[in-house]
Amino acid sequence: MSYHVNEKGYYGEFGGAYIPEMLYPNVEELRQQYLKITAEPSFQEEFDALLKDYVGRPTPLYFAERLSAKYNTKIYLKREDLCHTGAHKVNNTIGQILLAKRLGKTRIIAETGAGQHGVATATVCALMGLQCIVYMGEIDIERQAPNVARMKMLGAEVRPALSGSRTLKDATNEAIRDWINNPVDTYYIIGSVVGPHPYPDMVARFQSVISKEIKEQLLEKEGKENPDYVIACVGGGSNAAGAYYHFLDDESVNIIAVEAAGLGVDSGESAATSALGKVGVIHGSKTLLMQSLDGQITEPYSISAGLDYPGVGPMHANLFATGRAEFISITDEQAMNWGLKLSQMEGLIPAIESAHAFAVLDQKQFKPTDVVVINLSGRGDKDLNTYIDYFKL
Ligand SMILES: *Cc1c(COP(=O)(O)O)cnc(C)c1O
């Protein structure tokens, strides 16, 4: 059994492309071209060179000595926090901007919630000299002023989404509307392993550099390519997809996915999609989705903006449904405490999203000989104000 996408765009029963007819030409062009273009040697060369010299890859695999001693197991951290712009998201935007250029597109659009994907997109548009328009909910624009300023400084136009709850979902609707109206010159960069096929597979492939490097680095450090456990937080699921990718079909590697429980799985204020979700369609993909009894999407909640999403990518829905991955929900409080703990035990201030992944260490018992890799998806600079308010620093 394979946990990768099939030729129809499905992971088990999840995935596909549930899109309005008006969007079909754009998505179909991408579906027909993405594997061909990304397999070209010139594409690979340019992608690898930018990841190396611009993003700063390979990111280190760091043996966390104090953490390992305390939990009596071997803990390695994959340092995506050291990527340019502070998180893994840029691996994907570099890949998609190179694809957009080869498709002859001159105008780039994106949606963003907290602004991290918007910044990663604005960054690569500046790098390539392409026009960049980022849709962002009006509420999010108010809440995320530093990222709005970053995008503007990078030359992007930030367009407010004024409808609905004026957050990520509404920004996504605006971006889709824009794409329908500008099918010829515009490319839509999606920020996670979500959306209609081929986006989930394409984004997973661009992020798969994470597990490719983990294999090489573990071989050097441990004399074997595979860890016993790989752990990552899941919002839409792109850093997790990248960290799992080359281990998916090797069942000797245990996969742990960490979701945001917010104020508690049963509190009504969470983003624990696997625990609470039912099968539904969101942003063009059939997946697990938090919804009311009559199928309306539930507003999610997490203290970390990157995990505050009511769905999960179709790859992860399938990993959950098949039992290939173990899903664990972590509350705001557990994650915030780990933000402080990792800072003081290893000198690493994590993004709050990433801090969720570390809380697994308190939930599961590992053997002293186990090799446990935790994906440190991003650094905590962007979250400093949240940490300040929470801990009264
Ligand atoms: C955006 C973000 C996430 C969540 O997105 P995924 O697609 O699930 O990876 C996690 N960590 C950081 C640091 C982020 O910026």
Side-chain angles (χ1 to χ4, degrees):
M1 178 154 144
S2 173
Y3 297 95
H4 291 277
V5 79
N6 69 20
E7 63 287 350
K8 296 210 167 73
Y10 281 84
Y11 300 84
E13 67 168 300
F14 303 105
Y18 296 79
I19 49 173
E21 203 177 317
M22 305 278 282
L23 214 54
Y24 184 78
N26 310 38
V27 174
E28 183 57 18
E29 177 186 33
L30 204 53
R31 191 187 68 77
Q32 287 182 9
Q33 299 288 338
Y34 85 110
L35 290 176
K36 201 162 73 195
I37 291 177
T38 56
E40 285 166 6
S42 68
F43 182 97
Q44 289 285 335
E45 266 165 42
E46 199 176 352
F47 184 56
D48 292 347
L50 285 170
L51 288 186
K52 177 167 179 281
D53 296 331
Y54 189 72
V55 174
R57 304 203 73 93
T59 59
L61 185 70
Y62 164 68
F63 178 65
E65 196 163 331
R66 294 188 66 207
L67 218 52
S68 297
K70 177 157 179 173
Y71 287 91
N72 196 24
T73 191
K74 290 195 254 184
I75 301 170
Y76 285 91
L77 311 185
K78 184 56 173 163
R79 297 290 309 278
E80 294 302 294
D81 61 315
L82 292 176
C83 290
H84 175 46
T85 70
H88 66 287
K89 285 199 173 69
V90 70
N91 303 326
N92 167 48
T93 57
I94 294 263
Q96 288 199 54
I97 199 95
L98 293 179
L99 185 60
K101 272 196 357 181
R102 280 162 174 77
L103 289 170
K105 309 292 179 177
T106 54
R107 182 175 174 275
I108 303 296
I109 58 171
E111 85 297 335
T112 196
Q116 295 301 113
H117 173 57
V119 169
T121 302
T123 298
V124 298
C125 288
L127 178 68
M128 296 296 166
L130 293 181
Q131 185 189 358
C132 181
I133 295 155
V134 179
Y135 289 92
M136 190 170 185
E138 194 182 31
I139 299 277
D140 289 332
I141 289 178
E142 284 164 23
R143 289 194 291 206
Q144 309 288 343
N147 275 341
V148 175
R150 282 187 187 100
M151 287 183 262
K152 288 184 177 165
M153 193 155 176
L154 291 160
E157 180 191 340
V158 180
R159 287 198 190 159
L162 305 171
S163 64
S165 56
R166 292 174 289 154
T167 57
L168 176 61
K169 150 173 85 55
D170 314 288
T172 304
N173 291 338
E174 291 295 331
I176 289 172
R177 200 164 305 154
D178 182 315
W179 207 21
I180 288 172
N181 290 330
N182 299 283
V184 177
D185 65 338
T186 298
Y187 182 93
Y188 180 15
I189 298 189
I190 293 184
S192 189
V193 286
V194 300
H197 179 66
Y199 278 101
D201 182 50
M202 178 169 66
V203 177
R205 285 168 183 263
F206 290 144
Q207 292 291 359
S208 72
V209 65
I210 298 173
S211 48
K212 177 171 165 273
E213 289 174 6
I214 292 173
K215 272 180 169 291
E216 292 161 1
Q217 291 164 327
L218 275 183
L219 185 61
E220 190 189 311
K221 289 169 196 288
E222 289 287 334
K224 59 173 193 175
E225 285 191 332
N226 287 358
D228 296 288
Y229 291 87
V230 54
I231 304 174
C233 66
V234 174
S238 67
N239 87 89
Y244 305 160
Y245 195 87
H246 291 287
F247 305 119
L248 282 173
D249 293 336
D250 190 336
E251 309 246 359
S252 71
V253 180
N254 295 287
I255 293 175
I256 300 181
V258 184
E259 291 185 322
L263 301 182
V265 171
D266 300 318
S267 67
E269 297 286 333
S270 94
T273 307
S274 70
L276 301 170
K278 301 264 180 324
V279 177
V281 171
I282 183 171
H283 300 146
S285 178
K286 185 176 175 192
T287 188
L288 288 174
L289 175 62
M290 288 167 47
Q291 51 190 308
S292 64
L293 285 174
D294 55 357
Q296 293 296 315
I297 294 171
T298 314
E299 275 296 317
Y301 165 78
S302 164
I303 196 166
S304 71
L307 303 186
D308 195 353
Y309 184 70
V312 66
M315 172 198 282
H316 300 292
N318 186 50
L319 293 178
F320 176 74
T322 56
R324 174 66 184 95
E326 178 179 1
F327 279 67
I328 295 181
S329 305
I330 296 298
T331 63
D332 285 1
E333 186 183 358
Q334 291 168 316
M336 292 303 279
N337 287 336
W338 262 97
L340 206 55
K341 191 157 161 183
L342 190 68
S343 301
Q344 299 184 358
M345 281 193 72
E346 295 288 348
L348 297 167
I349 301 177
I352 301 172
E353 291 86 354
S354 322
H356 283 73
F358 288 83
V360 167
L361 293 172
D362 297 320
Q363 312 268 315
K364 271 192 84 76
Q365 191 71 41
F366 298 103
K367 294 201 288 283
T369 52
D370 280 343
V371 172
V372 178
V373 174
I374 303 178
N375 199 36
L376 179 47
S377 57
R379 54 185 181 243
D381 305 32
K382 69 183 179 62
D383 296 318
L384 208 58
N385 278 327
T386 311
Y387 282 132
I388 289 169
D389 291 346
Y390 193 89
F391 293 115
K392 316 252 179 303
L393 300 171

